[in-house]
Amino acid sequence: VSMFVWLFGLEPMQAEFAFSYIIIILSSILIYTLIKKLIADKNIALLSVLLFIPTGWLPIVKYMEFTTLVMMPLFLVTLINFYHHQNLKNCIFLGLTYGLASLSHPVAFITTSWVGTFVFGYLLFFKFFQDKVLQKEELKKYFKENYFYFVYIYLIGVSFALLYWWKPIFIYH
């Protein structure tokens, strides 16, 4: 919002109200993308956008609404991308959104940590057992290949979050 003030020469409160519309547009795109990835139906995705974004959200002047409308859908979209395609690019994007979510609201950090833990547990253990016949060597190989992605995601997210949380946790006891 401060960049919005600087770019357009607005008063801070005016910029906050104007930026609310950008948040709604961004959130609509994220919700559409999320539902389309989950259900693969454009009509249901459009209806979901209309149901998720009521006009009661405007103006968005608190960080909780921003977290609800932007950060959580963004985390879920990147989590689904990682779930379907476990590679370094999706790993980095998921780590960054994990860190950004923790910067937007402390409850988002807890929520994304729990959701991520459940999904990673599923990917590391249950998905392997469903997809393959259990063989010790294959299990070791699968675990080694995928374990590092989860460590990278956690390290990227926590490192990014510590940009803000370092001082409140370790300096200002």
Side-chain angles (χ1 to χ4, degrees):
V1 175
S2 60
M3 289 297 290
F4 209 63
V5 169
W6 180 74
L7 282 174
F8 297 107
L10 300 172
E11 293 295 319
M13 205 61 197
Q14 290 174 325
E16 194 78 47
F17 291 142
F19 196 69
S20 295
Y21 295 104
I22 293 172
I23 291 173
I24 291 293
I25 292 168
L26 180 61
S27 178
S28 298
I29 293 167
L30 287 169
I31 293 297
Y32 176 81
T33 305
L34 176 65
I35 300 299
K36 191 168 179 244
K37 284 184 178 292
L38 288 173
I39 299 175
D41 186 354
K42 292 180 182 180
N43 294 329
I44 292 176
L46 285 172
L47 180 63
S48 298
V49 169
L50 294 175
L51 292 174
F52 185 76
I53 314 235
T55 56
W57 286 104
L58 291 173
I60 299 168
V61 293
K62 291 195 69 175
Y63 53 88
M64 185 62 189
E65 287 86 6
F66 173 77
T67 302
T68 303
L69 291 172
V70 176
M71 293 313 302
M72 294 310 291
L74 180 62
F75 175 77
L76 292 174
V77 166
T78 56
L79 184 66
I80 290 169
N81 284 342
F82 180 77
Y83 176 81
H84 291 297
H85 308 286
Q86 295 165 12
N87 56 37
L88 188 59
K89 179 185 82 165
N90 289 333
C91 170
I92 291 170
F93 283 133
L94 183 56
L96 288 175
T97 57
Y98 176 53
L100 284 172
S102 68
L103 291 176
S104 67
H105 199 281
V107 174
F109 178 70
I110 295 167
T111 304
T112 55
S113 295
W114 277 106
V115 170
T117 300
F118 288 128
V119 170
F120 300 153
Y122 173 78
L123 285 173
L124 282 177
F125 299 107
F126 301 113
K127 185 176 183 199
F128 179 82
F129 295 126
Q130 287 177 347
D131 293 345
K132 302 196 183 246
V133 177
L134 181 61
Q135 294 178 6
K136 191 174 181 180
E137 292 303 316
E138 286 181 0
L139 180 62
K140 283 182 182 179
K141 182 182 174 193
Y142 179 80
F143 191 76
K144 283 181 182 178
E145 288 174 358
N146 292 302
Y147 177 74
F148 291 106
Y149 286 137
F150 307 125
V151 172
Y152 293 150
I153 290 167
Y154 179 76
L155 288 177
I156 291 168
V158 170
S159 300
F160 203 75
L162 284 177
L163 292 173
Y164 172 77
W165 288 106
W166 179 262
K167 286 184 180 178
I169 293 173
F170 297 109
I171 295 176
Y172 306 124
H173 301 295

